[in-house]
Amino acid sequence: MSLQKGFMPKLIIDNIAVEVAEGVTVLEAAQSVGIHIPHFCWHPALGKAGACRVCAVKMVDGPVKGIQMSCMLPAQDGMVVSTTDQEAMAMRRQVIEWLMINHPHDCPVCDEGGECQLQDYTIAGGHGLRSYTGKKRTHINQYLGPHIEHEMNRCIQCYRCVRFYQEFAGGTDFGVMGSAGRIYYGRVEGGQLESPFSGNLVDICPTGVFTDKTARFRARYWDYDMAPSVCPHCSLGCNTVPAARYRELLKIVARRNDAVNGWFICDKGRFTNSVVNDPARPRYPLVDGRKVGWDEALDNLLLRIREFGAVHGPESLAIVGSSRLAMEAATLLYRLFAGIAAGSLCYFTLEEEADQARAAITHLNDATSASMGDVQEADLIALVDCDLLQDGPMMALAVRQAWRKGAKIFLVENDVAPEAQKGLPFEWQSVSLLSDIPIREARKPVIICGRGKGMQDVAPALTSGVKLAYLLGGPNAFGAALLSAGHGATTLAQAVASGKVKGILAVEVDIPPELLQGISFIAALDWRATAIVKAAHIVLPTTAWVEMDGTYINNEGRAQRFKKVMHPGLPIMGLDPAGHPPRRHETAPPGGEPRPAWQVVADIIERTGTERDVQPLSGQWQWLRHLDAESPGQRIWQNMKQVK
Amino acid sequence: MSVINDTKAIVIGMWTTWKHIFRRPVTLQYPEEKRIPYPRYRARIVLTRDPDGGERCVACYLCSAACPVDCISMQSAATEEGRRYALWFRINFSRCIFCGLCAEACPTMAIQMTPDFEICNRDIMNLVYEKEDLLIDGCGKSPEYNFYHHAGIGVTQRRGAGLEEKPPVDVRSLMP
Amino acid sequence: MFDPIDIAITLGKILLVFMVIMTMAAYLVLAERKLLGYIQDRIGPNRVGPFGIWQPLADAIKLFTKEDFKPAGADKWLFYLAPAMAAIPAIMIFAVIPFGAPLTLFGRQVTMQVSDLNVGLLLFVAFSSIAVYGVALGGWASNSKYALLGSIRGLAQLISYEISMGLSLVPVVMLARSFQLSEIVGAQEGCWFIVYQPLAFIIFMISILAECKRVPFDIPEAEGEIVAGYHTEYSGMRFSLFFVGEYINIVVLGGLAATFFLGGWHGPFLPPVLWFFIKVLAVAFLFIWIRGTLPRMRYDQLMMFCWKVLTPLALLNILATAWFILLKG
C-alpha cells in the first residue's frame, strides 16, 4: 500500500473494477458504481460511526479478509469485495433483526412509515415476522418544542442525531445518555431544542424517533404532492422539497445541493408553512372589498388606472416589485411599466436593501462570488455586518463547517446588535476594521457581507483570490437588482420622497405604512395577507411559490428553478362543517382563483393593448426557461455575456 | 392417428355437453331465492372497534394505498390523548371492486368486509359512505385484538405497560 | 301470360315464407340461449313470459328503441347498406328451397316452393357470395380497426369455405343430374344422398358452419380478440339486422342441408312440411350444440383446414363419385 499523494486504490466490488481516491470508504466506492450497501449510521455529510453494523460486506481477497463494515474500511489496493456473499447477507439480515428486537410494532401510527429507512431495510432483508419473544425496552419521551416529536422507543442507536446536532450544527442542548441497550438521545430536561437547525433531525433519523410535529398524523409519503423547490425565506436559495396534501402545505424537507445548502436546511425554511395555509390569504379578486371574477377585476383595474391617469396624470403611478417576486413576473414589470406609461418602476422599497443588492451585483462575478460550498472550503472567513442567524442561518452552518476544518473566523465589529452574534455555532475573533484581518495570508478567504451599512468598505479589501458572499433581502434580490439596474429603476422610498407618486400598483411587495401616506389609489397583487393587501382598492390574488413554477436568483447569482407542488385552493380540511370533504362535485377547487403573478401581470399588459400573447423570460432572460429544477442551478455569468 | 384422436375428442366433448343438457340447472332465482354468503364473503366494508370500544382505525393510509381503484380516502388526526384516528374516512362504493386488498392491508383489523352485498342504489352519492356510515359497534372478526396493546408506544396505557414491553428505562441509572 | 291467381299464390307463399323465417330466426335466438343455458347448467332467459317465450319480443323492442349510432368518419351510405346486404341474400335463397310436397288446391298444382328455378343450386351459391359484401362493407365503412380486422378475417373465411361448400355439392348434382332443387329432392325419394355421400355431407356441414360464421369458425366476430368484429360499431336495428341475418342463415342453410342430403321433405308417417321443419331444426340444434361444445379455432388453423383438408377431400370425392357413376354406366 502506498501513501503517496494522488495514489488511486483499485479494488473490485461485485466483479466491477473500481478506482477511487485515497481515503474513500468501501461503501462510498460501491456507491460510485451504483452498488447500494445498506447503512444507517453512515451519512454522506456526517461520515462514519460504525454503530449500526448493517453495512457488512465480505472481503474475499486482498489486505483484509472476512466480514467487514464497509463504512469503516478505507478502500485499498487489491481488495476484492462481495456484497452478495451468503455470509455477508446473513450478517446484514441478522443485524436488521437485532435492530428490530426493541423496535415497537407501531408503523401504522408512525409518521415515518412509508419514508422510513429502517422499514425499507427490514422489508428488504426479509425480516417479515418477529421470532424474538422477549420484552422490548421502552423509554419516556421528552417534549422537544413545537416542531419536533420525540419517540425514543423507536430508536436504533445509530448516533446520527447527536452527530448532526453536536458536531455538524454545533448544538449543545441535546446529546446522548446511558449505555448499552439503554442509550437515550435527548436533552437533560425536556424543552425546546435551541439549535436553529434542529429540524434536520427529522430528515436525518433513519427511523421515526424524530418526526415533524407540524405535520404530525397528516399524510403518508406516497400521497404527498412533491416537487423540487427553492426556499423563499431568505436570499440563500436552499433547495427543498415541499410536501403538500389536499391543497395544504404539510411540511418541507431538505433537498441535496452541494453548491448551496448541502444536505440540510434551517428551521426557518422548514417550519414556515403557515403563510401558505393562512386562512387570511387573499383567495379571490377583490374590487373595493367585493369578490369579483378575474375579468371584471382586470377590467376594473385598467379603468381605475385610466381614471387615475386622467386625474393625477399617468406619471404619478408607481409600479412596485420586490425581492420576493420570482424572475418571471419581475421581468414583465418593465413591459407593464411601458404599457401603461407609469411614472416610476421600483424593484425595491427601501434604499438600504437596494444599495446592498446593488453592491452585490457590482462586486460579484463568476470568480469572486462565493457559494455556500465555497464557504465550507474556506480557510479564512470575515463576517462584515452580518446577522447570520436572521438573514441566512444556513450560511452560519456553512461557516461552522469551515471552522471545523480549521478556518479562522473574524467578525468585524459594527452596529449590528451584539445579541445577533449569540448562538453562532462557531468561535470567532473580533476585529474593529476589515483591514485588520490578514486576508492576504489566507489561501481561500471569503468575506461575507450582511445587511448593515459597513459593507461599502469591502471594496478596498478585494484582491485576487478573495471571494465574496452577500446576505440579501429576499429570495430574488439578486435578480431584482439586475433588473433594477438594467431598467434604471428607483426605489419606492425615493419616488415617494420626490412627491410625485399618488398611486401604487404593488406586485408581491410589503410597503411600510409611512410610504403610503398621500397615496390615493392602491392595487395589490399578492399571496400574503399583508398590510397593503388590506389597504388596497383592488386585490388580485397570486399563487405562493409552491403553487407555481418559477425562478429565483440567489445571493451568489445562481438561478434556480422551482416547480409547482400543489394546486392553489382552500384546503379540503375545514371546507365542510361535517368534517369530511364536500359531498358535491365541482370542476374547480374552491378558493383556487389565485394565478401566478407573472400571469396576472401578463394579463394586465395584454389588456392595455400594447402587446399580445405575453410570455415571461424573453430576451436576455430566455435561458432561464430551460433551467432544470433538479440541477444544482446555473450562475448567471455562465449564461449571460453582458449583465447590466 | 390424429384424425381419430381429434374426432374422438370432439365426440367426447359433444357427449359431455349433451349430458349436461339434462342436468338440473344450478341457477338460483336471485331476488326470490337468496343465497346466504359465507362469513368471509367480500362485500360491504365496515370499520370495527376494538374490545374497549375505541375506533380500531388509526388512519394509517395503508388501505387507501393498497386500493387498486382509489376508492378510499381519509384524513388522519390526533385526539387529545395522542391517539391517531380518522378525522374523516370515505369509501366510494360505486368505485369499489370488493377485492379485499384494503382489509388485507389493514394492520389494526379495523377495516373488514361483510357478507352484505345488496347495496345497489340509483344515486351514486348514496354509495359514497362516510365514516359514520362505515363504523360499527363491534369487533367483527378477531374480537380480542387491540392494536395499541401490541404497538409498544403507550397511548392507551402507560408507557412500558403494554404487552411484550419492559418498564421504561431510567436513563440516569448508573447500573449496567 | 301471367295468371293473377298464380301471382297471388306466389305472393302468398312469399309472405308465408318470410313470416315463418323471421319467426324461426327470432325463436332460434331464444332456443340458442335456452339450450346454451342448459348445456352450461343454467336456466337461460326465463323472465319475459313463461319460460321466457316473449324474450324475442323484448329483444326486438330493446333493439328498436336503441340509438342508431354512426361512428365519426364512417362511410355513411355503405355503413347503412351493409346490414341489409348481410340479411337480404340469406332470405332470398329460401325462394328456391322446396319445403313440402306439391299440393293440389282447388284443382291447381301448388308447389311448396316460392320459385322452382332450374338453376336453384347456382342461385344459392351466387347469393351466398353476395352475403360476403355485408361483412366486407360493414367492416370497411365503420372506420374502426376492430371492424376492419373482423371483416378482413370474414372475407377470407367466407370466400375460402364457399369453394369447399360448392365442391361438396358437385356430387349431389352428379347424382341428381340437375341443378333444380325440386329434382334433387325428388331424386332422394328412395334413399337420402347422405347415404351415398357421407363425406360430401360432412364437408358441406363444416363449410356451412363456417359460412354462418358460427363457433368454432366465429373468428370474424371473435369477442375475446376484436370486440365484435365487423359489426363492432353497429347498434340498435342495424346491429340486429346482422344478428337476425345470422340466424336466417342458419335456417336457410339447415333447409339446404335437408334438401341436398337429408331427403328434403321426404319422410314417413308425418306430413312433408313437418318433416322438412324437423330436419331444419335438427341442423339448427346441431349448430347450437356445437357452439356449446367447441372452442374457437385459430385463424391459421381455420384457413389450413379449408385449403389443405376440405377442398382436396371434396375434389377427391367428386372424382370418386364420377368414377362410380361411370362404372355404373
Side-chain angles (χ1 to χ4, degrees):
Chain A
M1 199 177 81
S2 161
L3 281 172
Q4 79 227 33
K5 236 185 158 88
F7 173 75
M8 302 276 278
K10 294 188 191 69
L11 64 163
I12 294 168
I13 305 176
D14 287 349
N15 302 321
I16 301 173
V18 191
E19 191 171 353
V20 290
E22 180 123 53
V24 167
T25 62
V26 173
L27 187 136
E28 289 167 289
Q31 275 183 347
S32 70
V33 289
I35 301 168
H36 183 82
I37 300 175
H39 55 267
F40 289 119
C41 65
W42 184 84
H43 187 281
L46 306 178
K48 54 198 167 188
C52 72
R53 318 306 286 175
V54 86
C55 64
V57 294
K58 174 87 171 276
M59 312 303 290
V60 181
D61 201 4
V64 201
K65 290 237 176 73
I67 295 287
Q68 293 288 332
M69 294 306 123
S70 60
C71 74
M72 299 297 286
L73 192 67
Q76 290 166 35
D77 218 23
M79 278 179 165
V80 179
V81 185
S82 169
T83 65
T84 54
D85 183 86
Q86 286 298 321
E87 213 180 325
M89 302 231 303
M91 167 88 178
R92 292 203 297 267
R93 197 170 57 239
Q94 284 152 12
V95 167
I96 294 275
E97 197 165 345
W98 297 333
L99 291 176
M100 288 300 292
I101 277 182
N102 283 322
H103 194 80
H105 205 105
D106 71 333
C107 298
V109 293
C110 174
D111 270 329
E112 194 84 358
E115 46 192 312
C116 177
Q117 225 174 326
L118 180 62
Q119 204 175 34
D120 291 349
Y121 289 156
T122 306
I123 305 284
H127 178 49
L129 277 175
R130 184 189 203 83
S131 46
Y132 172 74
T133 50
K135 289 178 178 278
K136 301 170 188 174
R137 66 106 176 83
T138 58
H139 283 291
I140 299 293
N141 298 330
Q142 284 180 332
Y143 170 77
L144 295 179
H147 298 319
I148 294 182
E149 181 75 24
H150 194 213
E151 178 47 75
M152 262 310 289
N153 287 4
R154 297 179 187 139
C155 183
I156 57 167
Q157 296 94 27
C158 71
Y159 287 82
R160 265 194 193 182
C161 52
V162 73
R163 280 188 292 148
F164 169 79
Y165 200 88
Q166 293 186 346
E167 293 170 21
F168 197 91
T172 52
D173 59 324
F174 174 93
V176 55
M177 295 166 244
S179 66
R182 299 174 306 170
I183 281 179
Y184 188 87
Y185 300 95
R187 290 164 56 91
V188 175
E189 293 291 333
Q192 183 163 358
L193 289 170
E194 287 162 11
S195 169
F197 310 103
S198 62
N200 291 304
L201 294 181
V202 175
D203 286 2
I204 209 153
C205 179
T207 180
V209 178
F210 303 99
T211 48
D212 191 332
K213 205 183 247 181
T214 59
R216 183 161 164 78
F217 294 170
R218 295 305 305 279
R220 286 272 176 232
Y221 185 76
W222 55 78
D223 282 333
Y224 291 148
D225 298 325
M226 287 191 285
S229 191
V230 173
C231 181
H233 297 302
C234 76
S235 63
L236 299 179
C238 296
N239 291 202
T240 59
V241 181
R245 171 75 171 153
Y246 289 144
R247 300 196 293 266
E248 195 171 352
L249 184 60
L250 295 180
K251 65 177 188 179
I252 294 172
V253 297
R255 179 162 62 95
R256 183 185 180 185
N257 185 340
D258 287 339
V260 184
N261 55 318
W263 288 81
F264 307 106
I265 56 172
C266 68
D267 287 3
K268 190 164 112 181
R270 187 184 296 269
F271 297 118
T272 317
N273 304 340
S274 52
V275 284
V276 177
N277 304 326
D278 188 1
R281 248 182 81 175
R283 292 279 182 189
Y284 308 93
L286 300 175
V287 172
D288 296 325
R290 186 169 49 87
K291 275 186 201 174
V292 295
W294 270 105
D295 282 334
E296 193 183 340
L298 291 169
D299 288 342
N300 241 303
L301 175 68
L302 281 167
L303 191 73
R304 297 280 179 97
I305 288 174
R306 239 168 258 138
E307 281 173 6
F308 174 83
V311 178
H312 301 284
E315 69 284 353
S316 48
L317 182 72
I319 295 172
V320 190
S322 78
S323 59
R324 65 179 165 97
L325 189 61
M327 268 324 259
E328 281 76 3
T331 51
L332 286 181
L333 283 189
Y334 179 76
R335 287 152 78 177
L336 176 65
F337 169 72
I340 58 177
S344 337
L345 173 64
C346 317
Y347 284 96
F348 294 96
T349 308
L350 299 175
E351 208 55 44
E352 182 195 359
E353 191 192 359
D355 280 351
Q356 179 206 20
R358 200 176 303 128
I361 62 165
T362 317
H363 292 307
L364 293 186
N365 59 48
D366 207 7
T368 59
S369 176
S371 69
M372 280 198 274
D374 295 332
V375 171
Q376 293 189 24
E377 299 302 318
D379 61 348
L380 183 147
I381 296 172
L383 303 172
V384 184
D385 290 344
C386 285
D387 187 350
L388 278 181
L389 293 180
Q390 183 60 38
D391 294 337
M394 283 307 290
M395 188 63 96
L397 203 58
V399 173
R400 175 173 166 86
Q401 302 322 309
W403 173 75
R404 282 176 70 200
K405 290 175 199 159
K408 290 195 174 65
I409 317 292
F410 294 93
L411 191 91
V412 182
E413 282 175 359
N414 50 51
D415 41 340
V416 174
E419 60 263 28
Q421 317 303 354
K422 254 191 209 154
L424 280 179
F426 46 82
E427 290 168 11
W428 68 88
Q429 278 173 264
S430 281
V431 291
S432 52
L433 286 170
L434 190 57
S435 50
D436 295 342
I437 301 170
I439 286 181
R440 282 164 205 285
E441 291 161 26
R443 277 186 306 111
K444 292 180 188 168
V446 171
I447 303 175
I448 301 174
C449 306
R451 298 170 76 176
K453 296 193 188 69
M455 97 225 130
Q456 302 295 0
D457 317 327
V458 171
L462 287 179
T463 52
S464 71
V466 179
K467 289 201 173 192
L468 263 176
Y470 283 84
L471 299 177
L472 305 178
N476 194 33
F478 200 97
L482 289 175
L483 289 167
S484 186
H487 299 309
T490 57
T491 61
L492 183 65
Q494 271 180 352
V496 168
S498 71
K500 63 177 184 178
V501 176
K502 293 277 185 289
I504 288 178
L505 176 58
V507 186
E508 296 196 353
V509 58
D510 313 306
I511 299 174
E514 59 268 21
L515 290 181
L516 292 179
Q517 282 156 9
I519 305 295
S520 60
F521 170 66
I522 303 171
L525 284 69
D526 212 329
W527 59 273
R528 289 185 175 185
T530 58
I532 190 157
V533 166
K534 289 189 185 99
H537 302 105
I538 294 181
V539 178
L540 302 172
T542 60
T543 52
W545 85 103
V546 287
E547 295 159 348
M548 62 176 188
D549 286 359
T551 314
Y552 287 142
I553 301 181
N554 79 350
N555 67 324
E556 47 152 329
R558 182 185 299 273
Q560 298 188 104
R561 169 63 47 88
F562 53 92
K563 302 293 277 184
K564 180 176 178 172
V565 175
M566 58 191 270
H567 292 289
L570 288 167
I572 284 183
M573 215 181 199
L575 270 189
D576 194 297
H580 52 66
R583 289 178 67 86
R584 53 169 203 284
H585 298 287
E586 278 174 77
T587 47
E593 274 81 357
R595 296 178 179 175
W598 72 262
Q599 206 178 353
V600 181
V601 174
D603 284 346
I604 303 172
I605 296 172
E606 280 167 23
R607 269 163 207 261
T608 59
T610 48
E611 286 183 68
R612 279 169 174 280
D613 191 24
V614 179
Q615 292 295 325
L617 303 179
S618 53
Q620 62 169 341
W621 300 105
Q622 197 149 7
W623 63 275
L624 288 177
R625 288 186 191 178
H626 311 296
L627 215 54
D628 180 6
E630 310 265 3
S631 75
Q634 284 182 27
R635 285 184 161 188
I636 55 162
W637 303 284
Q638 295 158 359
N639 293 281
M640 294 163 76
K641 288 190 189 92
Q642 190 64 48
V643 181
K644 277 194 275 179
Chain B
M1 252 182 90
S2 78
V3 174
I4 294 170
N5 278 340
D6 293 354
T7 316
K8 203 174 120 196
I10 289 173
V11 170
I12 289 173
M14 299 289 276
W15 173 240
T16 309
T17 46
W18 174 263
K19 279 188 298 183
H20 275 260
I21 292 175
F22 305 103
R23 274 212 191 157
R24 214 164 67 83
V26 296
T27 310
L28 273 178
Q29 296 294 313
Y30 163 63
E32 294 91 29
E33 310 168 43
K34 282 189 180 165
R35 173 174 284 172
I36 314 266
Y38 290 99
R40 286 171 55 126
Y41 191 85
R42 299 198 313 255
R44 185 169 61 87
I45 296 165
V46 295
L47 290 175
T48 59
R49 291 176 184 274
D50 60 31
D52 305 334
E55 287 169 23
R56 266 183 178 157
C57 176
V58 296
C60 68
Y61 294 94
L62 282 181
C63 50
S64 71
C67 182
V69 290
D70 277 357
C71 73
I72 306 180
S73 53
M74 78 193 82
Q75 175 65 62
S76 53
T79 60
E80 274 172 20
E81 61 265 34
R83 191 174 165 133
R84 187 172 164 138
Y85 76 111
L87 190 66
W88 51 267
F89 192 105
R90 176 180 278 187
I91 297 183
N92 185 346
F93 280 111
S94 69
R95 242 195 229 180
C96 180
I97 57 169
F98 300 100
C99 63
L101 289 179
C102 52
E104 217 169 293
C106 185
T108 65
M109 312 269 176
I111 196 163
Q112 297 187 3
M113 304 193 85
T114 66
D116 173 20
F117 59 91
E118 293 174 304
I119 54 170
C120 292
N121 207 291
R122 289 198 181 268
D123 182 4
I124 274 195
M125 276 321 279
N126 289 340
L127 288 171
V128 177
Y129 280 41
E130 301 291 349
K131 188 175 157 190
E132 57 267 28
D133 309 320
L134 295 164
L135 196 63
I136 61 164
D137 277 331
C139 305
K141 296 159 215 169
S142 45
E144 299 88 34
Y145 186 72
N146 189 332
F147 169 75
Y148 279 106
H149 292 174
H150 300 268
I153 52 158
V155 181
T156 57
Q157 67 276 343
R158 265 181 305 104
R159 286 182 75 80
L163 303 167
E164 305 124 26
E165 284 172 49
K166 291 178 196 159
V169 169
D170 178 7
V171 288
R172 287 180 176 76
S173 161
L174 291 174
M175 298 300 286
Chain C
M1 207 171 127
F2 290 109
D3 185 346
I5 299 176
D6 273 349
I7 293 174
I9 287 172
T10 309
L11 282 178
K13 283 193 284 191
I14 290 174
L15 198 67
L16 184 76
V17 165
F18 183 74
M19 302 270 284
V20 168
I21 288 187
M22 289 311 275
T23 316
M24 276 185 77
Y27 274 88
L28 209 53
V29 178
L30 177 64
E32 168 150 42
R33 289 172 66 182
K34 274 286 196 191
L35 205 54
L36 284 179
Y38 287 128
I39 286 175
Q40 293 158 8
D41 291 351
R42 295 184 287 112
I43 292 175
N46 70 337
R47 290 274 147 182
V48 197
F51 306 107
I53 54 165
W54 304 126
Q55 188 66 42
L57 203 67
D59 287 346
I61 291 171
K62 184 195 82 169
L63 287 167
F64 264 112
T65 49
K66 276 208 165 179
E67 185 191 356
D68 182 18
F69 178 79
K70 182 177 79 71
D75 188 325
K76 191 177 167 192
W77 292 111
L78 289 184
F79 187 78
Y80 290 164
L81 187 65
M85 293 284 280
I88 291 170
I91 301 182
M92 299 288 274
I93 294 169
F94 215 92
V96 295
I97 300 178
F99 49 86
L103 282 181
T104 311
L105 283 176
F106 311 111
R108 226 174 235 281
Q109 176 92 3
V110 180
T111 53
M112 285 285 130
Q113 193 174 10
V114 174
S115 167
D116 193 8
L117 279 185
N118 56 1
V119 288
L121 192 143
L122 294 183
L123 181 119
F124 149 59
V125 174
F127 268 106
S128 69
S129 303
I130 290 176
V132 175
Y133 282 97
V135 176
L137 295 181
W140 172 258
S142 294
N143 190 31
S144 149
K145 52 181 175 287
Y146 299 117
L148 188 63
L149 277 174
S151 73
I152 291 169
R153 288 174 172 202
L155 274 181
Q157 172 181 337
L158 293 181
I159 291 171
S160 304
Y161 276 86
E162 220 159 71
I163 291 167
S164 57
M165 183 181 70
L167 290 177
S168 73
L169 291 177
V170 173
V172 172
V173 176
M174 288 159 86
L175 288 176
R177 292 171 192 277
S178 173
F179 284 123
Q180 198 167 353
L181 298 197
S182 57
E183 286 194 11
I184 293 176
V185 172
Q188 298 179 70
E189 194 171 354
C191 184
W192 297 357
F193 280 166
I194 187 172
V195 179
Y196 299 127
Q197 290 291 343
L199 184 62
F201 176 68
I202 291 170
I203 294 170
F204 181 74
M205 286 306 286
I206 293 174
S207 301
I208 61 174
L209 212 54
E211 283 289 292
C212 289
K213 307 177 283 287
R214 285 186 62 85
V215 177
F217 303 109
D218 63 335
I219 60 160
E221 47 195 278
E223 304 93 335
E225 304 158 25
I226 47 174
V227 189
Y230 60 94
H231 57 57
T232 301
E233 303 295 340
Y234 284 90
S235 63
M237 249 356 253
R238 287 183 209 289
F239 164 74
S240 67
L241 262 183
F242 272 122
F243 195 64
V244 166
E246 195 185 313
Y247 285 88
I248 293 172
N249 238 328
I250 296 176
V251 177
V252 168
L253 292 171
L256 285 168
T259 306
F260 293 140
F261 293 100
L262 303 176
W265 41 264
H266 287 299
F269 312 124
L270 295 172
V273 177
L274 206 55
W275 265 114
F276 183 78
F277 270 102
I278 288 170
K279 288 166 184 174
V280 170
L281 292 179
V283 172
F285 174 78
L286 185 69
F287 276 27
I288 295 167
W289 185 16
I290 288 173
R291 180 175 172 187
T293 310
L294 299 182
R296 184 181 304 131
M297 286 176 92
R298 220 167 53 208
Y299 187 69
D300 59 325
Q301 294 169 335
L302 175 104
M303 295 308 272
M304 196 199 74
F305 188 59
C306 176
W307 288 102
K308 294 193 180 168
V309 180
L310 291 186
T311 309
L313 271 183
L315 285 170
L316 284 177
N317 193 31
I318 292 170
L319 285 178
T321 311
W323 184 64
F324 179 75
I325 291 172
L326 269 178
L327 275 188
K328 227 181 141 193

